[in-house]
Amino acid sequence: MKKLTSVAMAVALSTSLLVAPDAVAADGSSGSPTNSVRENKDNADAIPDGYEVPEPPTFGKAYTGSAPLSLFLAFAATAAVLGVIAQFPPIKAQLQRWDAEFQKRLEAFKQQGTN
């Protein structure tokens, strides 16, 4: 499990290092991003000449559903992914060991409460 976490962190860090220079280079300015924000803050509402504002999508904003449904779908998708991951033999064996340890501690707690 630690190896999998280490690999995931290494991939995330490598990806962020590869993407970050591109984001700064795409800006085209030599100043810091905060300077760019300050310079463009005054004319943020101005639309340049010749620029057409795109029409809104047919159904409005991208998010039109209800929050409870979206949260349910997010939790269901997460649970499904974790369920698939938990079926790999090494992970399944570790989960069974943790469950056995939890059951032992639970029984010890129950025995301590009855005394």
Side-chain angles (χ1 to χ4, degrees):
M1 190 70 171
K2 289 181 182 180
K3 288 181 182 178
L4 182 62
T5 304
S6 300
V7 169
M9 289 298 292
V11 168
L13 182 61
S14 299
T15 304
S16 68
L17 291 175
L18 291 174
V19 173
D22 293 338
V24 173
D27 183 25
S29 64
S30 60
S32 69
T34 56
N35 289 341
S36 175
V37 170
R38 287 186 195 127
E39 292 170 2
N40 294 328
K41 188 175 183 181
D42 295 334
N43 62 356
D45 294 333
I47 298 174
D49 293 335
Y51 180 78
E52 295 181 17
V53 178
E55 293 184 22
T58 307
F59 297 110
K61 295 182 179 180
Y63 176 74
T64 58
S66 65
L69 178 62
S70 297
L71 289 173
F72 169 75
L73 291 175
F75 285 126
T78 303
V81 168
L82 291 176
V84 169
I85 290 172
Q87 296 307 313
F88 290 113
I91 296 173
K92 190 173 187 177
Q94 182 63 39
L95 289 174
Q96 288 173 347
R97 285 190 292 266
W98 286 343
D99 183 49
E101 180 67 27
F102 176 75
Q103 294 301 327
K104 287 179 189 176
R105 290 180 185 223
L106 185 63
E107 287 299 320
F109 181 74
K110 286 180 182 178
Q111 292 296 327
Q112 187 180 27
T114 59
N115 290 336

